[in-house]
Amino acid sequence: MGLCCLIVDDNDHFLQAASQLLKREGIDVVGVASTGAEALARFEELRPDIALVDIDLGGESGFDVAQRLMEARNGNPASVILISAYEESDFADLIPESPAIAFLPKSDLSARTIHELLGGAGVT
């Protein structure tokens, strides 16, 4: 069984492109969301293995969304990876404080990179 993924981003073009890319590479994108509330509902409904959460969700903080997702796991071992078009160094103080297992620049998004991050975090 493949990895099930939820993508949370407020950019419709990115959601579509990322979904297509990851599906081609063998990741089952079970859903997308563009707001924190939608992400939480989809997360609870779909119970993905991984949620990719954009740090900048317009008026919302991806850090806050990641925290809410982890609080809503209810025994689901799902993990969060924060994503952004910005550099990791722009968030260097905030990423370690978040419940996310890693940060992934959008430009590096691939199934291989996601699997490497999950393996590095002890998640399979």
Side-chain angles (χ1 to χ4, degrees):
M1 187 162 90
L3 191 65
C4 294
C5 177
L6 171 69
I7 305 173
V8 183
D9 197 293
D10 63 338
N11 182 307
D12 289 335
H13 177 73
F14 177 79
L15 286 174
Q16 184 177 36
S19 294
Q20 290 173 356
L21 169 74
L22 294 177
K23 286 177 182 177
R24 274 195 316 269
E25 295 183 353
I27 291 183
D28 185 13
V29 178
V30 294
V32 297
S34 57
T35 66
E38 188 180 359
L40 193 57
R42 303 291 290 172
F43 187 82
E44 291 176 345
E45 170 193 351
L46 301 170
R47 301 184 59 79
D49 301 310
I50 184 78
L52 302 177
V53 179
D54 188 18
I55 288 176
D56 182 10
L57 290 171
E60 295 181 89
S61 163
F63 292 104
D64 292 342
V65 172
Q67 184 66 45
R68 290 185 0 229
L69 291 177
M70 290 300 89
E71 290 169 358
R73 288 192 303 185
N74 294 328
N76 180 7
S79 299
V80 170
I81 294 176
L82 293 168
I83 60 174
S84 181
Y86 298 102
E87 296 295 319
E88 183 173 5
S89 59
D90 294 344
F91 308 102
D93 295 340
L94 300 172
I95 292 170
E97 302 297 320
S98 79
I101 62 163
F103 171 84
L104 176 62
K106 288 182 179 181
S107 60
D108 293 344
L109 182 65
S110 72
R112 185 177 131 253
T113 306
I114 290 170
H115 283 291
E116 287 173 0
L117 292 172
L118 291 173
V123 180
T124 56

